[in-house]
Amino acid sequence: MKIEALKKRLDRNRPMTSVTIRIPEDVIEDLKRLAPLLGFSGYQPLIRAYIGQGLRADLERFESETVTALIASLKRRGVSDEIIHEALNEVVHS
């Protein structure tokens, strides 16, 4: 994830929206029990943390798969490993 996008994700004052989701009662009870043990003020922040963790993992996985596919495509078109490496370094360090 790029630095600017990460900074936005860490902003506690970013806009929020309400959603309704059906979750089994026993799961909610477990979340309520675990939240304070994990340092959360309630079960809803814990749910948001769990969603955020899964979302970041999936975004990283799909972004990584896209970059890997792009590199393979460039190699098939004759772009050298050296040029690909230079381009990747430029993107990472910009």
Side-chain angles (χ1 to χ4, degrees), residues 49-63:
Y50 284 148
I51 292 170
Q53 287 173 350
L55 178 60
R56 283 188 300 278
D58 285 345
L59 286 171
E60 185 176 317
R61 183 173 57 115
F62 285 111
E63 288 171 356

Side-chain angles (χ1 to χ4, degrees), residues 51-85:
I51 292 170
Q53 287 173 350
L55 178 60
R56 283 188 300 278
D58 285 345
L59 286 171
E60 185 176 317
R61 183 173 57 115
F62 285 111
E63 288 171 356
S64 177
E65 289 174 3
T66 300
V67 170
T68 301
L70 175 61
I71 290 169
S73 178
L74 291 170
K75 286 181 179 182
R76 284 193 304 274
R77 288 169 172 72
V79 178
S80 71
D81 286 342
E82 181 181 347
I83 290 175
I84 292 171
H85 182 73

Side-chain angles (χ1 to χ4, degrees), residues 20-61:
T20 301
I21 182 171
R22 295 177 56 80
I23 299 176
E25 290 178 3
D26 62 310
V27 172
I28 295 296
E29 292 306 315
D30 287 342
L31 289 165
K32 287 179 180 179
R33 188 171 43 85
L34 281 176
L37 300 174
L38 295 172
F40 289 89
S41 60
Y43 75 97
Q44 291 180 351
L46 179 57
I47 291 172
R48 286 192 296 272
Y50 284 148
I51 292 170
Q53 287 173 350
L55 178 60
R56 283 188 300 278
D58 285 345
L59 286 171
E60 185 176 317
R61 183 173 57 115

